[in-house]
């Protein structure tokens, strides 16, 4: 009796989880189709006017393009550093304790409140004379995505057969050649997944950007926050759906290249 009821119970848990996660998103999409600036359920009519308003809002489009640019740079740099970190953790000729120390140092931002990380970077940038703006934002995003990139690549690295690399070395290949011709091609799916995950994390990051951007730059999350403060409800609904679609597509692509183990 227990074995028969367990799958049913788990099924209800799965259903409840999906409802908990996706019901707010479904309601958001539904309300974004309202014809009124302050939507109510049920809708009086269906319209795409707020999506057109989002795409015609110069500040929002500029903020989104800025987020795309920052996300792209962060994804490339974060994955490059993550690849080097993963190679160090998995293949460097150092002791197991040293590998653990490297992994722990890289993982520290995961355990810090984002606001603390942002304040620390802001203070450092101020002391260095950099101030607020693009460079501190990039640094903050890079520090934030580096642990995710490193551990995505480390997980893939752990699945590789070290004997293949050893065989290439026995045939006379230098460490650089082994890495370029043997290791790197096998890591390619994880590298692509890391780029996509890092982009998504940077694209949607608010707190770090809020504390470090100053008045010089504006990003998509900052623009959405600005709309929240003035109460542009229907506009916000449509803008949020646009962001959800972009982030969802990136996340699905990343999961396709690096499925869960």
């Amino acid at each position: 009796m227990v074995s028969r009821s367990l799958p049913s119970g788990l099924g209800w848990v799965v259903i409840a989880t999906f409802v908990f996660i996706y019901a707010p998103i479904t309601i958001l999409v539904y309300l974004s189709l309202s014809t009124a600036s302050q939507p109510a359920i049920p809708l009086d009519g269906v319209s795409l006017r707020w999506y057109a308003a989002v795409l015609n809002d110069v500040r929002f489009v500029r903020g989104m393009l800025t987020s795309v640019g920052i996300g792209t740079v962060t994804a490339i740099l974060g994955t490059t550093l993550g690849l080097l970190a993963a190679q160090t953790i998995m293949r460097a000729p150092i002791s197991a304790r040293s590998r653990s120390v490297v992994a722990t140092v890289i993982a520290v931002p995961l355990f810090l409140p984002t606001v603390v990380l942002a304040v620390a970077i802001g203070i450092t940038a101020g002391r260095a004379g950099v101030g607020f703006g693009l460079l501190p934002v990039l640094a903050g995003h890079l520090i934030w995505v580096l642990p995710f990139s490193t551990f995505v690549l480390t997980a893939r690295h752990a699945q590789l057969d070290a004997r293949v690399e050893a065989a290439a070395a026995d045939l006379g290949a230098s460490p650089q050649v082994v890495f370029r011709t043997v290791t790197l091609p096998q890591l390619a799916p994880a590298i692509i997944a890391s780029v996509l995950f890092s982009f998504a994390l940077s694209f949607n990051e608010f707190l770090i950007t809020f504390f470090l951007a100053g008045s010089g730059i504006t990003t998509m999350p900052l623009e959405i926050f600005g709309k929240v403060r003035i109460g542009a409800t229907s506009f916000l609904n449509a803008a949020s759906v646009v962001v959800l679609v972009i982030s969802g597509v990136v996340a699905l692509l990343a999961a396709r290249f690096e499925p869960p183990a």
Side-chain angles (χ1 to χ4, degrees):
M1 180 178 298
V2 174
S3 63
R4 291 181 180 178
S5 62
L6 184 59
S8 176
L10 289 176
W12 282 111
V13 170
V14 171
I15 292 172
T17 302
F18 269 82
V19 170
F20 179 76
I21 294 174
Y22 292 106
I25 296 176
T26 303
I27 294 172
L28 180 69
V29 174
Y30 175 72
L31 293 176
S32 72
L33 300 174
S34 173
T35 58
S37 60
Q38 299 292 331
I41 298 176
L43 298 181
D44 295 331
V46 175
S47 173
L48 297 177
R49 61 174 291 198
W50 298 110
Y51 289 95
V54 168
L55 297 178
N56 289 324
D57 189 289
V58 176
R59 284 183 57 88
F60 185 84
V61 172
R62 184 168 64 244
M64 182 168 291
L65 292 176
T66 301
S67 290
V68 169
I70 292 174
T72 301
V73 174
T74 301
I76 294 172
L77 291 179
T79 299
T80 301
L81 294 177
L83 181 61
L84 296 174
Q87 185 73 6
T88 300
I89 294 170
M90 299 301 299
R91 292 290 187 267
I94 56 179
S95 66
R97 183 173 182 178
S98 298
R99 298 175 195 271
S100 178
V101 169
V102 172
T104 301
V105 170
I106 292 174
V108 165
L110 295 176
F111 302 98
L112 290 176
T114 309
V115 63
V116 173
L117 181 63
V119 170
I121 295 171
I123 293 173
T124 304
R127 293 298 181 118
V130 177
F132 298 102
L134 184 59
L135 286 180
V137 169
L138 282 172
H141 284 217
L142 186 58
I143 292 172
W144 172 239
V145 306
L146 181 58
F148 295 95
S149 173
T150 299
F151 295 128
V152 165
L153 292 165
T154 301
R156 176 61 178 170
H157 226 309
Q159 300 173 2
L160 303 185
D161 190 346
R163 293 174 297 181
V164 178
E165 298 175 356
D170 290 341
L171 292 173
S174 66
Q176 293 77 12
V177 173
V178 171
F179 177 75
R180 188 175 68 252
T181 61
V182 179
T183 307
L184 206 56
Q186 295 182 83
L187 290 175
I191 291 173
I192 297 174
S194 171
V195 168
L196 293 171
F197 275 129
S198 298
F199 175 85
L201 288 169
S202 175
F203 182 76
N204 293 298
E205 177 54 43
F206 169 73
L207 265 179
I208 291 175
T209 311
F210 180 76
F211 276 90
L212 300 177
S215 59
I217 63 172
T218 182
T219 63
M220 176 273 302
L222 295 182
E223 282 300 313
I224 290 181
F225 179 70
K227 298 296 184 184
V228 170
R229 298 176 68 180
I230 64 175
T233 306
S234 290
F235 183 97
L236 274 172
N237 294 338
S240 299
V241 172
V242 171
V243 173
L244 280 171
V245 170
I246 295 173
S247 302
V249 169
V250 172
L252 287 173
L253 287 173
R256 181 179 179 86
F257 283 103
E258 188 67 8

